[in-house]
Amino acid sequence: MASANSIGLAAHNSPRACAKKVFCKTHTHKELEFYCVRCDEAVCFECRLEAHKKHRTDDLGIAVSREMKRLTREQINLQDAVDDLAKAVEAMKAEKQAVLDKKATVEKNIRDRHAVMVAAADKFREEALDSLRSVSTDIESSIAEALQRREDNLKDMLRVQQQLEETISNEAGSDIITIAKEMRKWGASRQSGDKVTSQGTNTVCRPVLHFKATGDVILQNARDFLGSVSKTEIEAAAPEVRVVTQFQCGQEADVEVFSLCHDDGKPPGVWVSYERFDLKEDAAMALYSEDGYRQLTSLCTGKVSNKRYAEGKIMSQSVSPDCVFTNAKLHSPRHYRLDNDLAGKALVISQQVACTEPLQTQHVREFTLKVGAHRAFDVDDTEQFFAVVEEPQLPDVWRKVKLYQRQGGNPVSEYSPPTTSFQPSDVCFYRLGGQHVLLVTDEENDAIHVVDVSGGCLRFVRYLAPGCPWLIQPTAITVDVSARLWLACRGGTIICMEPVGSC
């Protein structure tokens, strides 16, 4: 038999001993001490003996402790569910904003294309009017010359006619002989003139408008150029990269960044080459810190290109044909430049930057690739392959991505994208998941293509970060020495990304 002290100690350690006392509604003087498993409710001692005498009951404190553990687990699960749903809500808001941003971008594209058509129509109208003025002036000049000749002939004829009438009226013999002689000469010249006049009057000239297409064809071509809007579904995937930082460059809403280069200096930054309208060689260039503060506006203009060694330690950059920026502590970085010559071929120029004080740039070698007008290019780590984004040549309207090899000069492969509409803007060799790939930014589809380059053949693998709300019309991409990707989107948004799991 337990002692009173042991009973008191047990009561003190019981879970219900620390809980607030609750009394039975039926037996108001009795405390709830038990838990009926069948009825799922707390009962007092009297209820246990009466209404619940055949039911299984447990000690209320033990039941409460058991339920508290379960509720704690449920609380954790509920919090996880709340967090997941909150993230989903934020993602949906971001997706909604991305749709609005894309809508604005597509609307701007439609208006821009319409403006291009109007500007082209205005230009062609002026050319046609100039041609009309030129042709009409030529015809009018010919007619004026012929008219002057005929008016002169008419005056001569009227003069001869008057002389003839006067001679006949006077009946003077000598005058008659003289005028008859002049009439014979005039008759001969008139016959010659009649031939010329006959030839001239039988041929007439008129300015006529010639065109090759019917109205339906013109309207269809205009409709094709403006494009049509459709809903495209993109299958979202687990992100391979995450955004580290993001900032805006330029002061205009329609800024286009067409080239980036990371500066591995102290402090590190990113060179941005951008402009407001069409791609030009004299676009402005500025150096931004990695958190988006403008540090320097370069006096040089043009494209920004870079080359990274396989060791991943060296970065060089160029802002003009004669200007190379680099870090003095780096070891012999190499810079490549791709220049178009007058023959339509691209001359690849390689420069070695010696780490001396002051820095010296030494021309190493140059070779020729049969590349037409290009927008962007990159060199792989072996320095044997060049990926080039070539500008379209009429009647093509889409850019093309081609792979060139140092030896040979001709393209060894041309990229075939999975979509019919494809507008590449930049290329970047990259190591993703242990595999060497080529990243291709696609303005038309808001995508970054991951392209396999093994065997010297360009083959689509997948999209990088498909469906991400920040991926709107990418225009430029590069990689820094820390394997982070720097991406520029239409409107001047600069985004730094790093592989997921790199931290």
Side-chain angles (χ1 to χ4, degrees), residues 107-138:
E107 180 178 351
K108 183 178 181 301
N109 286 343
I110 293 174
R111 296 186 183 278
D112 288 346
R113 286 175 176 265
H114 177 262
V116 169
M117 292 176 61
V118 171
D122 290 343
K123 177 184 177 183
F124 298 151
R125 177 195 62 193
E126 294 304 318
E127 290 178 354
L129 291 175
D130 289 342
S131 177
L132 173 61
R133 285 188 286 267
S134 176
V135 171
S136 298
T137 299
D138 182 62

Short mmCIF file of all heavy atoms in Angstrom, two decimals, residues 107-138:
data_model
loop_
_atom_site.label_atom_id
_atom_site.label_comp_id
_atom_site.label_asym_id
_atom_site.label_seq_id
_atom_site.Cartn_x
_atom_site.Cartn_y
_atom_site.Cartn_z
N GLU A 107 3.31 44.62 -75.99
CA GLU A 107 2.62 45.80 -76.52
C GLU A 107 3.62 46.79 -77.12
O GLU A 107 3.40 47.35 -78.20
CB GLU A 107 1.81 46.48 -75.42
CG GLU A 107 1.05 47.71 -75.90
CD GLU A 107 0.21 48.34 -74.80
OE1 GLU A 107 0.08 47.73 -73.73
OE2 GLU A 107 -0.31 49.45 -75.03
N LYS A 108 4.75 46.97 -76.42
CA LYS A 108 5.78 47.87 -76.94
C LYS A 108 6.36 47.31 -78.24
O LYS A 108 6.63 48.07 -79.19
CB LYS A 108 6.89 48.04 -75.91
CG LYS A 108 7.98 49.02 -76.34
CD LYS A 108 9.03 49.18 -75.26
CE LYS A 108 10.09 50.19 -75.69
NZ LYS A 108 10.77 49.77 -76.95
N ASN A 109 6.56 45.98 -78.30
CA ASN A 109 7.08 45.37 -79.52
C ASN A 109 6.12 45.60 -80.69
O ASN A 109 6.55 45.91 -81.81
CB ASN A 109 7.30 43.88 -79.32
CG ASN A 109 8.52 43.60 -78.47
OD1 ASN A 109 9.36 44.46 -78.28
ND2 ASN A 109 8.61 42.39 -77.95
N ILE A 110 4.81 45.44 -80.42
CA ILE A 110 3.83 45.65 -81.48
C ILE A 110 3.87 47.10 -81.95
O ILE A 110 3.87 47.38 -83.15
CB ILE A 110 2.42 45.28 -80.97
CG1 ILE A 110 2.34 43.76 -80.71
CG2 ILE A 110 1.36 45.70 -81.98
CD1 ILE A 110 1.05 43.31 -80.08
N ARG A 111 3.92 48.02 -80.99
CA ARG A 111 3.95 49.44 -81.36
C ARG A 111 5.27 49.78 -82.07
O ARG A 111 5.27 50.57 -83.03
CB ARG A 111 3.78 50.31 -80.11
CG ARG A 111 2.42 50.14 -79.45
CD ARG A 111 2.21 51.12 -78.30
NE ARG A 111 0.95 50.88 -77.64
CZ ARG A 111 -0.23 51.34 -78.08
NH1 ARG A 111 -0.28 52.05 -79.19
NH2 ARG A 111 -1.34 51.08 -77.41
N ASP A 112 6.37 49.17 -81.61
CA ASP A 112 7.65 49.42 -82.28
C ASP A 112 7.63 48.90 -83.71
O ASP A 112 8.12 49.56 -84.64
CB ASP A 112 8.79 48.77 -81.50
CG ASP A 112 9.10 49.49 -80.20
OD1 ASP A 112 8.62 50.62 -80.03
OD2 ASP A 112 9.81 48.91 -79.35
N ARG A 113 7.06 47.70 -83.89
CA ARG A 113 7.00 47.13 -85.23
C ARG A 113 6.08 47.97 -86.13
O ARG A 113 6.35 48.17 -87.31
CB ARG A 113 6.50 45.69 -85.18
CG ARG A 113 7.56 44.71 -84.66
CD ARG A 113 7.02 43.31 -84.49
NE ARG A 113 8.10 42.41 -84.10
CZ ARG A 113 8.79 41.68 -84.94
NH1 ARG A 113 8.52 41.73 -86.23
NH2 ARG A 113 9.76 40.88 -84.53
N HIS A 114 4.99 48.45 -85.53
CA HIS A 114 4.11 49.33 -86.29
C HIS A 114 4.85 50.61 -86.68
O HIS A 114 4.73 51.10 -87.81
CB HIS A 114 2.86 49.67 -85.47
CG HIS A 114 1.93 50.63 -86.14
ND1 HIS A 114 1.93 51.97 -85.87
CD2 HIS A 114 1.00 50.44 -87.11
CE1 HIS A 114 1.03 52.57 -86.62
NE2 HIS A 114 0.44 51.67 -87.37
N ALA A 115 5.62 51.13 -85.73
CA ALA A 115 6.40 52.34 -86.02
C ALA A 115 7.41 52.08 -87.13
O ALA A 115 7.65 52.94 -87.99
CB ALA A 115 7.09 52.84 -84.76
N VAL A 116 8.04 50.88 -87.09
CA VAL A 116 8.98 50.52 -88.15
C VAL A 116 8.27 50.47 -89.50
O VAL A 116 8.78 50.97 -90.52
CB VAL A 116 9.63 49.16 -87.84
CG1 VAL A 116 10.40 48.64 -89.05
CG2 VAL A 116 10.57 49.28 -86.65
N MET A 117 7.06 49.87 -89.51
CA MET A 117 6.31 49.80 -90.75
C MET A 117 5.93 51.19 -91.24
O MET A 117 6.04 51.50 -92.44
CB MET A 117 5.05 48.96 -90.54
CG MET A 117 5.31 47.49 -90.29
SD MET A 117 3.79 46.57 -89.95
CE MET A 117 2.90 46.82 -91.47
N VAL A 118 5.49 52.05 -90.30
CA VAL A 118 5.11 53.42 -90.69
C VAL A 118 6.33 54.17 -91.21
O VAL A 118 6.27 54.85 -92.24
CB VAL A 118 4.48 54.16 -89.50
CG1 VAL A 118 4.28 55.63 -89.82
CG2 VAL A 118 3.14 53.51 -89.12
N ALA A 119 7.47 54.02 -90.48
CA ALA A 119 8.69 54.70 -90.92
C ALA A 119 9.14 54.18 -92.28
O ALA A 119 9.56 54.95 -93.15
CB ALA A 119 9.79 54.51 -89.88
N ALA A 120 9.06 52.84 -92.45
CA ALA A 120 9.44 52.26 -93.74
C ALA A 120 8.50 52.73 -94.83
O ALA A 120 8.93 53.06 -95.94
CB ALA A 120 9.45 50.74 -93.65
N ALA A 121 7.18 52.76 -94.52
CA ALA A 121 6.21 53.23 -95.50
C ALA A 121 6.47 54.69 -95.86
O ALA A 121 6.39 55.08 -97.03
CB ALA A 121 4.79 53.05 -94.97
N ASP A 122 6.78 55.51 -94.84
CA ASP A 122 7.10 56.91 -95.11
C ASP A 122 8.34 57.03 -95.99
O ASP A 122 8.39 57.84 -96.93
CB ASP A 122 7.32 57.66 -93.80
CG ASP A 122 6.03 57.85 -93.02
OD1 ASP A 122 4.95 57.70 -93.64
OD2 ASP A 122 6.09 58.15 -91.82
N LYS A 123 9.35 56.21 -95.68
CA LYS A 123 10.59 56.24 -96.48
C LYS A 123 10.31 55.81 -97.91
O LYS A 123 10.75 56.47 -98.87
CB LYS A 123 11.63 55.31 -95.84
CG LYS A 123 12.91 55.21 -96.63
CD LYS A 123 13.88 54.21 -96.01
CE LYS A 123 15.13 54.06 -96.85
NZ LYS A 123 16.06 53.04 -96.28
N PHE A 124 9.56 54.70 -98.06
CA PHE A 124 9.25 54.22 -99.41
C PHE A 124 8.36 55.21 -100.14
O PHE A 124 8.47 55.37 -101.37
CB PHE A 124 8.58 52.85 -99.33
CG PHE A 124 9.45 51.79 -98.72
CD1 PHE A 124 8.90 50.71 -98.03
CD2 PHE A 124 10.83 51.85 -98.84
CE1 PHE A 124 9.70 49.75 -97.47
CE2 PHE A 124 11.64 50.87 -98.28
CZ PHE A 124 11.07 49.83 -97.58
N ARG A 125 7.46 55.88 -99.41
CA ARG A 125 6.62 56.90 -100.03
C ARG A 125 7.48 58.03 -100.59
O ARG A 125 7.29 58.45 -101.75
CB ARG A 125 5.63 57.44 -99.01
CG ARG A 125 4.74 58.57 -99.54
CD ARG A 125 4.07 59.29 -98.40
NE ARG A 125 5.06 59.92 -97.53
CZ ARG A 125 4.78 60.42 -96.33
NH1 ARG A 125 3.55 60.32 -95.84
NH2 ARG A 125 5.73 60.97 -95.60
N GLU A 126 8.43 58.49 -99.78
CA GLU A 126 9.30 59.57 -100.26
C GLU A 126 10.15 59.12 -101.43
O GLU A 126 10.38 59.88 -102.38
CB GLU A 126 10.18 60.07 -99.11
CG GLU A 126 9.41 60.75 -97.99
CD GLU A 126 8.56 61.90 -98.51
OE1 GLU A 126 9.08 62.67 -99.36
OE2 GLU A 126 7.40 62.02 -98.08
N GLU A 127 10.64 57.86 -101.36
CA GLU A 127 11.42 57.35 -102.50
C GLU A 127 10.57 57.28 -103.76
O GLU A 127 11.03 57.63 -104.85
CB GLU A 127 11.98 55.97 -102.16
CG GLU A 127 13.08 56.00 -101.09
CD GLU A 127 13.56 54.60 -100.75
OE1 GLU A 127 12.95 53.63 -101.26
OE2 GLU A 127 14.54 54.48 -99.98
N ALA A 128 9.31 56.81 -103.61
CA ALA A 128 8.42 56.73 -104.76
C ALA A 128 8.10 58.12 -105.30
O ALA A 128 8.05 58.34 -106.52
CB ALA A 128 7.14 55.98 -104.38
N LEU A 129 7.86 59.07 -104.38
CA LEU A 129 7.58 60.44 -104.82
C LEU A 129 8.79 61.06 -105.49
O LEU A 129 8.65 61.80 -106.49
CB LEU A 129 7.13 61.29 -103.62
CG LEU A 129 5.75 60.93 -103.03
CD1 LEU A 129 5.48 61.77 -101.79
CD2 LEU A 129 4.66 61.14 -104.07
N ASP A 130 9.99 60.78 -104.95
CA ASP A 130 11.21 61.27 -105.61
C ASP A 130 11.35 60.69 -107.01
O ASP A 130 11.72 61.38 -107.97
CB ASP A 130 12.44 60.93 -104.77
CG ASP A 130 12.53 61.76 -103.49
OD1 ASP A 130 11.86 62.81 -103.43
OD2 ASP A 130 13.26 61.34 -102.57
N SER A 131 11.05 59.37 -107.10
CA SER A 131 11.12 58.73 -108.41
C SER A 131 10.08 59.33 -109.35
O SER A 131 10.36 59.55 -110.54
CB SER A 131 10.89 57.22 -108.26
OG SER A 131 10.87 56.59 -109.51
N LEU A 132 8.88 59.61 -108.83
CA LEU A 132 7.84 60.24 -109.65
C LEU A 132 8.29 61.62 -110.13
O LEU A 132 8.12 61.97 -111.31
CB LEU A 132 6.55 60.36 -108.84
CG LEU A 132 5.41 61.15 -109.48
CD1 LEU A 132 4.97 60.49 -110.79
CD2 LEU A 132 4.23 61.30 -108.51
N ARG A 133 8.88 62.40 -109.23
CA ARG A 133 9.35 63.72 -109.62
C ARG A 133 10.45 63.63 -110.68
O ARG A 133 10.49 64.42 -111.64
CB ARG A 133 9.85 64.48 -108.39
CG ARG A 133 8.72 65.00 -107.50
CD ARG A 133 9.26 65.90 -106.40
NE ARG A 133 9.93 65.12 -105.36
CZ ARG A 133 9.31 64.68 -104.27
NH1 ARG A 133 8.03 64.93 -104.07
NH2 ARG A 133 9.99 63.99 -103.36
N SER A 134 11.37 62.66 -110.49
CA SER A 134 12.47 62.52 -111.45
C SER A 134 11.96 62.11 -112.82
O SER A 134 12.34 62.70 -113.85
CB SER A 134 13.47 61.49 -110.92
OG SER A 134 14.49 61.25 -111.86
N VAL A 135 11.06 61.09 -112.85
CA VAL A 135 10.53 60.62 -114.13
C VAL A 135 9.69 61.71 -114.79
O VAL A 135 9.78 61.97 -115.99
CB VAL A 135 9.71 59.34 -113.91
CG1 VAL A 135 8.96 58.96 -115.19
CG2 VAL A 135 10.62 58.19 -113.49
N SER A 136 8.86 62.37 -113.99
CA SER A 136 8.00 63.41 -114.53
C SER A 136 8.82 64.58 -115.05
O SER A 136 8.51 65.15 -116.10
CB SER A 136 7.02 63.90 -113.46
OG SER A 136 6.17 62.85 -113.05
N THR A 137 9.89 64.93 -114.32
CA THR A 137 10.76 66.02 -114.78
C THR A 137 11.40 65.68 -116.11
O THR A 137 11.50 66.53 -117.01
CB THR A 137 11.84 66.30 -113.73
OG1 THR A 137 11.22 66.70 -112.50
CG2 THR A 137 12.78 67.41 -114.20
N ASP A 138 11.84 64.43 -116.25
CA ASP A 138 12.46 63.99 -117.50
C ASP A 138 11.46 64.07 -118.65
O ASP A 138 11.78 64.56 -119.75
CB ASP A 138 12.99 62.57 -117.35
CG ASP A 138 13.70 62.08 -118.60
OD1 ASP A 138 14.70 62.69 -118.98
OD2 ASP A 138 13.22 61.09 -119.19
#
